[in-house]
Amino acid sequence: EPEVTQTPSHQVTQMGQEVILRCVPISNHLYFYWYRQILGQKVEFLVSFYNNEISEKSEIFDDQFSVERPDGSNFTLKIRSTKLEDSAMYFCASSERSGLAGYNEQFFGPGTRLTVL
Amino acid sequence: LAKTTQPISMDSYEGQEVNITCSHNNIATNDYITWYQQFPSQGPRFIIQGYKTKVTNEVASLFIPADRKSSTLSLPRVSLSDTAVYYCLVPNAGGTSYGKLTFGQGTILTVHP
């Protein structure tokens, strides 16, 4: 069964450093998402991406965040200057169709645990 | 965005049927009701989605009454491996949403031996 993969599984970084989290969505999917989950809290939407541009983003997704699909398979989330409060599990997801027609099945990856020291 | 309310936690025993009810009083006409499951340290996993009446798949059933102001996820004969957090989602449909999922706190289901 096809699945979303993410690397690394765990990333430790110093405050102020840049990190890039990588995801390989399911190959025939066209819609891509990043979510995060701070320990013990809700899963929070960050950004959605389609046709090489951001479709929607949350208030969390400020200028420190960016996303990119550098080639036909990878989808990356970059945090330019990490803060302590960026420590969380980051999930990538992909879907075959958009949510416009009520289609809400997204396939989530296993996550990258980001620890900012 | 339709707000959902579901129990914070539930306990069950292996082999029992578990029903988790979610209320969504201000669901919009075009909204679908979607349920996800999340195991510790894993990403959420889609379980089932429906619009009205009853939907069944190999994992669960979803019951939606005529007024659609609530829905019930039914898990038949649960096992220990069904211990997880279960989320009821009623995202925007149509409009400007491109699939953004808004998760609440979910229901922590604990299955005991």
Side-chain angles (χ1 to χ4, degrees):
Chain A
E1 183 179 321
E3 57 183 20
V4 175
T5 60
Q6 291 185 243
T7 54
S9 56
H10 192 187
Q11 173 95 42
V12 181
T13 190
Q14 295 290 326
M15 192 169 54
Q17 294 296 304
E18 174 184 284
V19 294
I20 297 177
L21 310 183
R22 291 182 166 81
C23 168
V24 178
I26 294 174
S27 60
N28 65 331
H29 286 185
L30 301 176
Y31 301 85
F32 313 112
Y33 314 88
W34 283 100
Y35 294 82
R36 80 171 187 190
Q37 187 173 31
I38 295 170
L39 187 63
Q41 297 188 22
K42 299 185 291 187
V43 177
E44 300 174 290
F45 168 81
L46 293 178
V47 65
S48 59
F49 190 86
Y50 169 69
N51 200 26
N52 277 323
E53 58 183 33
I54 291 173
S55 309
E56 190 173 4
K57 60 183 180 179
S58 71
E59 293 173 354
I60 302 167
F61 195 89
D62 61 20
D63 292 344
Q64 292 301 312
F65 291 86
S66 62
V67 289
E68 193 177 33
R69 189 156 161 81
D71 52 44
S73 59
N74 291 285
F75 179 49
T76 62
L77 174 70
K78 181 193 290 186
I79 309 175
R80 289 191 184 81
S81 177
T82 50
K83 308 182 191 69
L84 295 176
E85 55 265 35
D86 292 328
S87 294
M89 184 76 95
Y90 287 80
F91 295 109
C92 172
S94 69
S95 66
E96 194 173 2
R97 303 197 299 246
S98 81
L100 283 176
Y103 178 79
N104 297 311
E105 182 173 7
Q106 296 180 15
F107 293 79
F108 283 74
T112 292
R113 182 169 298 284
L114 177 64
T115 302
V116 182
L117 303 176
Chain B
L1 189 65
K3 178 179 163 56
T4 60
T5 304
Q6 53 183 122
I8 294 173
S9 64
M10 293 181 69
D11 288 274
S12 182
Y13 292 90
E14 283 190 290
Q16 288 188 333
E17 177 184 82
V18 170
N19 296 308
I20 306 174
T21 296
C22 177
S23 67
H24 26 78
N25 290 321
N26 60 339
I27 188 170
T29 303
N30 294 335
D31 278 342
Y32 279 72
I33 300 152
T34 310
W35 286 79
Y36 276 77
Q37 172 193 56
Q38 185 181 26
F39 298 112
S41 299
Q42 293 188 29
R45 183 175 77 107
F46 173 90
I47 303 175
I48 198 166
Q49 176 175 291
Y51 183 79
K52 62 180 180 181
T53 62
K54 178 184 174 183
V55 180
T56 297
N57 61 21
E58 65 276 6
V59 175
S61 295
L62 179 60
F63 298 91
I64 305 166
D67 66 6
R68 302 195 337 113
K69 293 183 184 300
S70 67
S71 59
T72 298
L73 175 74
S74 181
L75 305 171
R77 296 184 301 281
V78 295
S79 64
L80 296 177
S81 62
D82 292 315
T83 293
V85 181
Y86 292 82
Y87 300 97
C88 165
L89 287 80
V90 184
N92 279 332
T96 59
S97 173
Y98 289 88
K100 164 187 170 182
L101 298 179
T102 301
F103 289 84
Q105 295 290 356
T107 297
I108 302 170
L109 172 66
T110 305
V111 180
H112 303 278

